[in-house]
Amino acid sequence: MSALAVEAITSRHGLLTAVHGVSLTIEPGEVLAVVGANGAGKTTLFRTIAGLHRPAEGAVFLGGIDITDVPAYGRPHLGLSMVPEGRRLFTNMTVRENIQIACEQTGRSRKTFGAVLDALPVVRTLLGKPAGGLSGGQRQAVAIARALVTAPRVLLLDEVSLGLSPAAIDTVYETLAALKLGGEAAMVVVEQDLDRAMGFCDRLVCMLEGKIVLEGKPKDLTREEVSQAYFGLHKGSNAHA
Amino acid sequence: MLEAIVQGVLLGGYYAVIAAGLSLMLGVVRFINLAHGDLAVLGAYLALAAIAFLGLPVWWAFALVLPVMAGIGWGLQRFLFARTLEGGFLLPLLATFGLGAVLQNGMQGIFGSETRSLANYMGNLSWAGWQLPFGLYVGVLPVLTFAAAVIVLGGLQVMLSFTKIGRAMRATSTDPEAAELQGVDARRVQRVATAIAFMLAGLAGMFLAMRAQVTPYAGPAQLIFAFQAVIIGGIGSLWGTLIGGIALGVAQSLGASISAQWFQLAGHFLFFVVLAIRMSSAGPTRERVLVWFDRIADALRLRTRGERKHAD
């Protein structure tokens, strides 16, 4: 059974259709990268999966259960967690409180909290600090810890490297690689850096104007193919609309 | 002068209670409740009704009115405010403006327009007091009101800092959508915050009716005082509302010692000066004053832990 299945999702912003009938499946333990230019519909797709945006059509299944009508706040309880674009930490709270709130709201134990800190030692050193005073890389690490503490079966990471220094991006991806090796949780990563995405994921989809125009394993795709799909130049685009 | 300052500080306790509710709604639910003053007056009239019709002693009336106000707040947030919030920032303002008009006219229709007070039901509490050194005289009721303000704000501080619902409120106040991604039911949290805000409005209204006369149309003035205390103390700063309330109370009290008309004028003047400083572009004077305010707040540990170093 797939960890996450998106079936013919269409999402609109008023009259604008941002996602056109997109279908996707992610297997347990798999890492899927979603790439595409600005306005391709990646973030709207993520927001729809996370429950922040109600789809006009289609359905979302988590572990075979239809969660389309489950509100956003109910999805972390079921094992779907998201690190949003821009991290969006609670800047008026400490790092500990940022993680604690996700832990207690989803009913996870202090043991889970400890396990996440073991997996992300850098976060342990920041616990007492106000989240508003962290660097971009530190914020991303805390945001990932905050998502992990809910013990997700599927982890959505939107624009992982956006606004981070190259060194911070390396650190974040090293952390994600360690998590990837460590469990059954599936990851879906939105990434604008094609090389980074192709080097990290098990499978890649490229979106253009709300549709999937290319899908495949990185070893079966060339950088040029992905790049052409990214900019809408891919002649044999197999859109999954 | 000393007498006026002491009376002003004690009056600030009342302003802090009514301002805390307004501040909580502004921070967590993210709109200005223009009916807040009318809700305070409603609390007073509900207490008067509980005494008159149920024959309850005044403190039992207090105990009854608070959960009733909380229930009204919960229901209005659930069925009215939450829906208006989906229509932009103007709709909740208009809805609460209309709610205020409904409350004023409703209370006048039910209770009449004559002035009323809870003082008649409290024995000698409304005039009892203590004689202090330097010729100072303080009333028991103002001291009780001030103590209640400190207890209420302390209780809110403990709740916001150390409880699950408190953390959820702080998260929702910062970013409701991000809070939902952590499993927080932001709408429920907003209902809880509104219920608490209504309870605080009701408490403030009962304190008002204990120390003064109220009419169905007394609400808008109370809203202005609450709003001034919030602005002077700093939006989003819980203990700032106490400082704001005290500053407003002292200004009014000092103004009244000059002339009766200066009671309100002095408060408005202080509000105007603080607002002008806060709204003006950054400059040496503004920076100095704000740093001075921040130093006082930090010295007295008046902010929640997270916001102390990152207040802005």
Side-chain angles (χ1 to χ4, degrees):
Chain A
M1 186 187 296
S2 59
L4 180 74
V6 175
E7 288 189 0
I9 282 287
T10 296
S11 289
R12 298 194 178 99
H13 296 290
L15 295 175
L16 174 74
T17 303
V19 177
H20 295 262
V22 165
S23 296
L24 273 177
T25 56
I26 299 109
E27 301 305 319
E30 188 183 17
V31 177
L32 175 75
V34 180
V35 299
N38 285 339
K42 310 180 299 291
T43 295
T44 302
L45 176 64
F46 257 42
R47 288 174 58 83
T48 307
I49 296 172
L52 295 174
H53 193 98
R54 187 159 182 82
E57 293 166 26
V60 180
F61 294 87
L62 182 69
I65 302 167
D66 187 350
I67 60 165
T68 314
D69 293 326
V70 175
Y73 67 84
R75 299 188 187 201
H77 299 261
L78 300 173
L80 178 68
S81 199
M82 177 172 164
V83 177
E85 182 182 345
R87 278 66 81 176
R88 294 171 72 170
L89 298 182
F90 306 119
T91 51
N92 62 338
M93 299 167 86
T94 63
V95 169
R96 180 190 298 279
E97 287 174 320
N98 265 274
I99 302 170
Q100 187 180 1
I101 193 164
C103 188
E104 66 191 5
Q105 289 293 333
T106 52
R108 309 300 183 219
S109 65
R110 295 178 78 79
K111 200 173 164 185
T112 312
F113 197 148
V116 169
L117 295 181
D118 290 342
L120 296 164
V122 65
V123 175
R124 191 185 289 279
T125 64
L126 303 170
L127 284 177
K129 294 189 176 177
L134 303 180
S135 67
Q138 289 172 329
R139 284 183 185 221
Q140 188 63 283
V142 173
I144 292 170
R146 190 174 66 172
L148 287 178
V149 84
T150 65
R153 286 189 283 168
V154 177
L155 178 61
L156 309 174
L157 297 122
D158 195 4
E159 301 285 9
V160 177
S161 57
L162 191 69
L164 299 185
S165 68
I169 295 171
D170 287 342
T171 307
V172 167
Y173 270 98
E174 282 166 19
T175 306
L176 292 176
L179 296 171
K180 175 183 166 184
L181 296 171
E184 283 295 294
M187 269 190 246
V188 190
V189 183
V190 163
E191 178 56 83
Q192 299 248 17
D193 183 336
L194 295 184
D195 293 325
R196 188 72 73 169
M198 291 181 76
F200 179 68
C201 70
D202 301 321
R203 191 156 53 96
L204 177 141
V205 297
C206 183
M207 291 185 71
L208 180 72
E209 294 176 354
K211 297 175 183 171
I212 293 175
V213 291
L214 184 72
E215 180 173 357
K217 295 184 177 179
K219 65 181 174 59
D220 300 330
L221 300 169
T222 64
R223 171 75 165 75
E224 193 181 7
E225 272 181 306
V226 178
S227 188
Q228 284 181 339
Y230 190 98
F231 292 110
L233 304 170
H234 190 250
K235 287 173 185 168
S237 75
N238 50 339
H240 290 241
Chain B
M1 172 101 168
L2 183 61
E3 174 90 24
I5 290 172
V6 170
Q7 299 305 334
V9 168
L10 295 176
L11 178 60
Y14 161 71
Y15 291 144
V17 174
I18 193 166
L22 191 70
S23 182
L24 195 65
M25 283 201 73
L26 195 57
V28 180
V29 194
R30 295 183 162 198
F31 75 89
I32 298 169
N33 179 6
L34 294 180
H36 194 72
D38 300 303
L39 289 162
V41 176
L42 175 68
Y45 272 97
L46 286 177
L48 284 162
I51 292 166
F53 298 120
L54 302 177
L56 294 178
V58 68
W59 300 112
W60 281 102
F62 260 58
L64 179 68
V65 168
L66 294 179
V68 168
M69 290 297 294
I72 294 171
W74 180 285
L76 280 173
Q77 180 63 37
R78 170 74 179 78
F79 296 106
L80 180 66
F81 298 156
R83 293 179 188 187
T84 61
L85 281 165
E86 290 167 5
F89 78 97
L90 196 57
L91 211 52
L93 284 178
L94 292 172
T96 54
F97 182 77
L99 176 66
V102 168
L103 287 173
Q104 288 171 25
N105 290 302
M107 285 186 287
Q108 192 202 17
I110 295 169
F111 301 104
S113 58
E114 63 269 30
T115 59
R116 291 172 186 268
S117 174
L118 284 168
N120 304 332
Y121 306 98
M122 300 186 317
N124 67 347
L125 187 60
S126 57
W127 67 82
W130 294 292
Q131 193 67 51
L132 301 178
F134 309 109
L136 286 175
Y137 180 85
V138 293
V140 174
L141 186 57
V143 171
L144 268 179
T145 308
F146 190 85
V150 172
I151 291 167
V152 161
L153 292 174
L156 279 176
Q157 175 77 78
V158 168
M159 185 196 73
L160 289 171
S161 298
F162 302 113
T163 67
K164 185 177 167 183
I165 186 68
R167 278 186 287 271
M169 275 187 193
R170 287 164 60 203
T172 304
S173 75
T174 309
D175 188 338
E177 205 172 78
E180 294 226 329
L181 289 176
Q182 315 317 316
V184 175
D185 181 352
R187 289 181 167 226
R188 182 179 160 272
V189 167
Q190 289 177 338
R191 290 197 285 272
V192 172
T194 306
I196 294 172
F198 273 48
M199 209 158 58
L200 291 174
L203 182 66
M206 289 186 286
F207 280 135
L208 176 69
M210 288 170 87
R211 64 190 296 155
Q213 306 275 339
V214 292
T215 71
Y217 295 101
Q222 305 312 311
L223 171 70
I224 288 172
F225 296 147
F227 193 69
Q228 289 178 340
V230 169
I231 296 295
I232 293 168
I235 293 172
S237 171
L238 186 62
W239 288 98
T241 57
L242 183 61
I243 288 191
I246 288 173
L248 181 65
V250 169
Q252 289 180 339
S253 202
L254 287 174
S257 67
I258 299 168
S259 141
Q261 289 87 341
W262 270 90
F263 174 81
Q264 289 200 16
L265 271 179
H268 296 334
F269 183 71
L270 175 68
F271 167 71
F272 175 76
V273 168
V274 173
L275 190 65
I277 292 169
R278 287 189 184 277
M279 297 292 282
S280 65
S281 57
T285 307
R286 175 184 181 273
E287 288 303 311
R288 273 203 306 272
V289 172
L290 290 184
V291 165
W292 184 72
F293 265 104
D294 284 344
R295 279 181 185 163
I296 292 173
D298 283 343
L300 298 174
R301 302 177 73 79
L302 294 181
R303 295 194 181 141
T304 53
R305 286 180 299 166
E307 65 183 330
R308 196 172 302 141
K309 287 184 182 172
H310 295 273
D312 301 316

